[in-house]
Amino acid sequence: MTRQVFVVGSLGRGSVGASSLGLSGLGQGGTGVGVARTGFDSTRDSASIRGDSLAGLSSGDEVELAGEEAHHAAVKRLRLGEIVDLVDGLGSRATGEVVRLGKTIRIRLLDAAQLEAEPALRLTLIQALAKEKRDMQALESACEIGATRVVPWGAARSVSRWDTVPKRAKGREKWRKLALSAMKQSRQSRLAEIGEYVESGVDAARGYNADSPDNRPDSKTVFSEVERIISRGGVVFVLHESATEKLSSLLQDLVFDSATPPSQPLPPVPVRSLSNAAQGVQQQLPTEIAVVVGPEGGITEAELAGFETVGARVALLGPTVLRCSTAGPAALAVIQATLGSWR
């Protein structure tokens, strides 16, 4: 039977310190955890034992779930003696046994917490806001597939917009909670980051001159976000039906030696052979790949030109046109199978 997964740590909602009476949650609506050590000395500085991470905990140490995670445990009818997995969203994982039930849940670790390696390839989804929660469907699936970062984008044709500070805060919090749920569902130990909300900006219509410092994209636009990814060695693909090159072919181009003449078409490569080839030139592969997906109405010509100007590549996913809720996760799956952790 698959073990249930529970998240410990504040995940950005604050810290939980130790006390002689045990540990408390994070307050209203928070994910809570405390850490209790065998033979714990209550006179020690509470800041020396944090409730934010499993890192450094050993077999026999205990954690206490409160808030949303304790409620989740009650809904799942957690039993005394049940073995569960604990993750902290920061990469640490441990196995524990439930030793106390109630308003808070106490779990004793059966082994030392292990810090799992970060993925060699970081995956970013820049997802346009969409109606009928299709953007959130894309977010959830992308996080389950292994996206490490998702950026909300108010595209020119987005019906929904986060055009006020409260809307942005509320929207990002909804996305963060959904990313947290997806992390647990897919049994991952790292929580995907939800980036700052970006828009196309008023300058999108006139395009950009990449060589003119006076005509660079504003620092808070989607184009500047793409530019930052590329400047640190990443590759950005914009999914669009007007593209002439398939995403799968462009990924193969990243794998094979750059000395291959561009006029020579690449032969079909079996997955196993492609994996071996990728391993042979690992040092040449990007460490980050981002995928840009537009809203239901599509990406405008001006936006497409803006993406190309800052260095993004326009790619065709396949012969059919997918919904905005499907395109991003499908592209990330292709990338994972070609260059990522699914090889």
Side-chain angles (χ1 to χ4, degrees):
M1 180 179 176
T2 302
R3 291 195 292 261
Q4 295 188 55
V5 177
F6 293 93
V7 181
V8 302
S10 60
L11 294 175
R13 289 181 172 272
S15 300
V16 180
S19 73
S20 59
L21 299 177
L23 300 112
S24 61
L26 293 171
Q28 185 176 4
T31 296
V33 63
V35 178
R37 295 180 182 273
T38 304
F40 173 67
D41 180 0
S42 63
T43 64
R44 290 172 57 186
D45 179 6
S46 64
S48 66
I49 298 180
R50 309 299 293 182
D52 294 339
S53 171
L54 287 168
L57 297 188
S58 304
S59 177
D61 289 341
E62 296 182 356
V63 298
E64 190 170 85
L65 303 181
E68 291 179 358
E69 286 302 279
H71 175 72
H72 174 63
V75 171
K76 291 292 186 178
R77 299 185 182 277
L78 202 64
R79 304 182 303 275
L80 281 174
E82 187 169 344
I83 307 301
V84 299
D85 277 356
L86 299 172
V87 298
D88 61 5
L90 303 172
S92 292
R93 184 189 302 273
T95 302
E97 178 185 2
V98 179
V99 295
R100 193 185 73 188
L101 296 173
K103 290 185 177 180
T104 60
I105 313 295
R106 189 172 285 266
I107 300 173
R108 180 179 298 124
L109 270 61
L110 300 178
D111 51 24
Q114 299 294 320
L115 181 62
E116 298 179 342
E118 293 190 46
L121 178 63
R122 288 176 51 84
L123 297 178
T124 296
L125 173 63
I126 300 177
Q127 175 65 52
L129 300 187
K131 61 184 180 181
E132 298 179 358
K133 298 184 178 179
R134 290 201 171 103
D135 48 7
M136 298 186 71
Q137 293 174 31
L139 160 73
E140 183 176 37
S141 297
C143 290
E144 290 180 8
I145 289 169
T148 52
R149 187 164 179 263
V150 182
V151 179
W153 168 34
R157 291 173 176 165
S158 289
V159 176
S160 173
R161 303 202 86 79
W162 298 353
D163 49 8
T164 65
V165 172
K167 278 187 177 181
R168 293 177 189 181
K170 183 178 180 180
R172 288 187 73 198
E173 179 60 14
K174 281 185 177 180
W175 282 36
R176 190 201 70 88
K177 286 184 176 180
L178 193 56
L180 182 64
S181 175
M183 180 189 75
K184 293 165 63 175
Q185 167 63 35
S186 55
R187 306 182 64 79
Q188 298 180 67
S189 62
R190 296 183 186 276
L191 178 64
E193 174 192 352
I194 304 301
E196 295 283 349
Y197 170 75
V198 293
E199 292 190 341
S200 299
V202 294
D203 291 335
R206 75 180 189 208
Y208 301 110
N209 180 351
D211 298 323
S212 172
D214 296 328
N215 200 20
R216 304 300 295 163
D218 183 272
S219 61
K220 295 182 180 179
T221 66
V222 67
F223 307 108
S224 59
E225 176 67 32
V226 168
E227 195 173 41
R228 279 191 292 270
I229 294 172
I230 293 173
S231 69
R232 56 180 181 250
V235 176
V236 179
F237 296 110
V238 181
L239 302 184
H240 198 268
E241 62 271 17
S242 68
T244 57
E245 294 183 278
K246 289 184 178 180
L247 176 63
S248 56
S249 296
L250 292 172
L251 292 174
Q252 290 185 26
D253 288 345
L254 295 178
V255 172
F256 286 90
D257 193 324
S258 59
T260 301
S263 59
Q264 242 181 322
L266 290 170
V269 181
V271 172
R272 180 172 298 177
S273 300
L274 185 58
S275 174
N276 293 337
Q279 293 172 4
V281 292
Q282 186 68 39
Q283 70 278 6
Q284 299 178 11
L285 295 177
T287 57
E288 180 176 6
I289 296 181
V291 173
V292 180
V293 177
E296 305 94 322
I299 297 172
T300 67
E301 291 299 321
E303 288 172 327
L304 199 60
F307 284 124
E308 290 182 294
T309 297
V310 295
R313 309 181 190 185
V314 183
L316 186 67
L317 190 55
T320 58
V321 177
L322 304 181
R323 286 189 183 275
C324 57
S325 56
T326 311
L332 294 183
V334 172
I335 297 169
Q336 284 283 51
T338 306
L339 300 176
S341 61
W342 292 8
R343 289 189 282 126

